[in-house]
Amino acid sequence: MTDDLFSLLSPDGVLSDAANASVDLRGMFSDMVMSRRVDTEAIALQRQGELGLWPSMLGQEAAQVGAGRALNPRDVAFPTYREHGVAWCRGVDPVSLLGLFRGTTLGGWDPTANNFNLYTLVIGAQTLHAVGYAMGIVRDGDVGTGDPERDRAVLVFLGDGALSEGETNEAFVWAAAQNLPIVFFCQNNQWAISAPYSVQSRVPVAQRAQGFGFRGVRVDGNDVVASHAVTVEALEQARAGNGPTLIEAFTYRRNPHTTSDDDGRYREGAMTDDWTTLDPIERLRTYLTTIGTDEDFFAEVASQETELSERLRAGCRALPDPEPASSFLHTYAEMPADLERQMNDHLEYVAAGEADPA
Amino acid sequence: MTNVQQFHLPDVGEGLTEAEIVTWLVAAGDVVEVNQILVEIETAKSLVELPSPFAGEVTELHAEPGDTVEVGKPIISIATAGATTPTPSIPEARPATEDEPKLLVGYGAKETSGRRRRRGAATPAPAAATPAPAAATPAPAAATPAPAAVRSGPVRCKPPVRKLAKVLGVDLAEVTPTGLDGIVTRADVLAASTKTPDVMPPPAVAESSVDEIRIPIKGVRKHTAAAMVSSAFTAPHVTEFVTLDITATMELRERLASRRDMKDVKLSPLTFIARAFLRAMERTPSSNSRWDEEAQEIVQLRDINLGIAAATPRGLVVPNIRAAQRLSLAELADAIADLATTARAGRTTPEAMSHGTATISNFGVFGVDTGTPILNPGETVILGVGTISRRPWVVGEGVDERIEPRWVTTLALSFDHRVMDGQQGSELLADTAAVLRDPALAVL
């Protein structure tokens, strides 16, 4: 099954000569380590009662960091709810990722500040948002001008489960029909909660693109160098006006679906153990060590990690409770009079300080 | 300065109201770091490890293994050094609801209307609300660290008095002390033993008198009991027996075991019995089926997922071997050995115990001749294997007829009479026995 995967950095840490020599491997390593730390710290915070829920991305760091680092500043990313590594690469403050899962906000960050949209919990919905955005890019004339300061593309993330959703297939149809500047980045982590990919599809993810009429690429999602290379290439094609690509990053979700899930009920631990040996961070660490990267670098990353942990723990507890008006304020661009009346009633009620009668 | 912080049981699974303490990994006096695993808890959804939100010294554990604790109640106190760490938010404690559906994800069980807000009504106090009993263990010597089970609570009394309290089944936490400095005296304990306590504490192992030990029904015991009641009173069981000379199989086993390619294979007699049973089941397709009451259908299954009952320290578990009929003898032997090792280590997953279609129970290892096995719920057949021992057996015919010592065992087959009749059951058992009597029949 893994024979036809594009890869550059092998599981035992050997880098292919075909790899672009100018990529920042140290940066990739650091980004993967830091995003994993965000993930493990968030799980601990959930277990301590600070978060209601957390979807872990353990094992998917290479796919996310590879893709995240391929974006130009003007490109726009549409995440699912598991793209903590992409958020990190885009410069979104990791503390702000926690708000949604702590229940203090319905968003958490300004999507226009880093061109990183809000997490989408509805499976596959973001593929249509992304297609719509790509249509806007075309209408702005920001495609195929040849000006690297102007051309832009959309990178939308999805999981293997989203492939069985109508929205995703509609997005594929529309992206192909309009030749949109969009890249679909599917992290095939093989489990849609408890449903294995094998019960959803007879063909590999990447092969589906053919039927819609665009390119499909299959890459080792635990290989950060290869994941980066294919995304760079696909985004270049998109910006140049050559249409969409579907990237399948073949990987594995090593933790349960979320902190509310018990994967022992539907899969054997042996498979997870196998994928642990394919760890994306360890293989790059092996390579960096082989080429003589000095210990100071690893020590520096480790100390940044500790700092990040402390910042996340303190930052999480300090997240402010939402203002009573917040859920009204962001529903419409311009608030209808009726909603405004409801908001005022609500604010009055809250101000009166009565106990919730519910 | 130190500052004692309490860690309150969080809702770890979106809408859970309680959890059971399974194992403490720390004890009072231990120094812990932030995110060090403190305790393993079991919720309606899964087993979960809780990491410490604080760094410092554990001063008290507020619940014992086996206790069910409501979300929001303190489970551990930790003395932290220096500046105050912000206290984690305490989720509103809610009354426990019973019979919650087991959800993988989502927003927890729907509560019956009105239940959540009922206050001070007829609802009996949940277990966790009553004070946990002091484990009536003598205080450890000053030099040794307190073991996890010992409560370092406020109850003070002399060791002989503690022992007396234990013998009389008196909970020291409930006794009003009259001694100097609040020490519980012998007289206090005797007085307390004569009156009925207002609230019976629900201890993990309540020793309410010297003549009986009361053990709460939970975990594997509870599961086994429910499964057996459901099976015994829904599927009409028929049990048939056959006693047979298994010498030829035992000889074959020795011959195969000496082969080089079987060097690393644990070829037990059970492997051969399982193989003979699987072969016979394939020839009696009705045995590999399930009674679907709701659909009013008998569901015949293609693969035989053969469960092997395993006695473990936690109780009886029945993990199964998927599509066991497809395995070679060596593969089957390996699968049985793996299953047993995993079960004994307590690492059998719920997944490994689901989807079974037939079971073998090898109670012969306990030295008994036979029994009447009860079906694993949802299955149509179960084979019980008695001890294999040397017994006198009539061999030969006519003038050759004589009594010889042979390897003999008794097989017991229980089947669901809704699905199979005596004919199919008898054929299945006789067919299994025939191959074990004469393994050469397997080539037919």
Short mmCIF file of all heavy atoms in Angstrom, two decimals, chain B residues 66 109 175 193 273 427 440:
data_model
loop_
_atom_site.label_atom_id
_atom_site.label_comp_id
_atom_site.label_asym_id
_atom_site.label_seq_id
_atom_site.Cartn_x
_atom_site.Cartn_y
_atom_site.Cartn_z
N GLY B 66 -11.87 2.14 43.52
CA GLY B 66 -13.19 1.52 43.59
C GLY B 66 -14.29 2.52 43.90
O GLY B 66 -15.45 2.28 43.63
N ALA B 109 -24.66 11.63 27.96
CA ALA B 109 -25.99 11.06 28.02
C ALA B 109 -27.03 12.15 28.16
O ALA B 109 -26.83 13.15 28.83
CB ALA B 109 -26.06 10.12 29.20
N VAL B 175 -16.70 7.99 64.32
CA VAL B 175 -16.72 7.90 65.78
C VAL B 175 -16.45 9.28 66.40
O VAL B 175 -15.57 10.01 65.95
CB VAL B 175 -15.63 6.90 66.25
CG1 VAL B 175 -15.57 6.85 67.78
CG2 VAL B 175 -15.92 5.52 65.69
N SER B 193 -19.89 0.87 68.18
CA SER B 193 -20.22 -0.42 67.57
C SER B 193 -21.62 -0.88 67.95
O SER B 193 -22.22 -1.71 67.28
CB SER B 193 -19.21 -1.49 68.01
OG SER B 193 -19.47 -1.87 69.33
N ILE B 273 -7.84 -29.67 20.00
CA ILE B 273 -9.28 -29.72 20.27
C ILE B 273 -9.98 -28.56 19.55
O ILE B 273 -11.03 -28.73 18.92
CB ILE B 273 -9.56 -29.70 21.79
CG1 ILE B 273 -9.01 -31.00 22.41
CG2 ILE B 273 -11.04 -29.56 22.09
CD1 ILE B 273 -8.92 -30.99 23.93
N GLU B 427 -24.33 -34.16 16.20
CA GLU B 427 -23.39 -34.34 15.08
C GLU B 427 -22.13 -33.51 15.30
O GLU B 427 -21.01 -33.98 15.06
CB GLU B 427 -24.06 -33.94 13.76
CG GLU B 427 -24.97 -35.02 13.23
CD GLU B 427 -25.80 -34.57 12.02
OE1 GLU B 427 -25.66 -33.40 11.59
OE2 GLU B 427 -26.59 -35.39 11.54
N ALA B 440 -6.47 -38.84 11.80
CA ALA B 440 -6.36 -39.09 10.36
C ALA B 440 -7.64 -38.72 9.63
O ALA B 440 -7.62 -38.41 8.43
CB ALA B 440 -6.01 -40.56 10.11
#
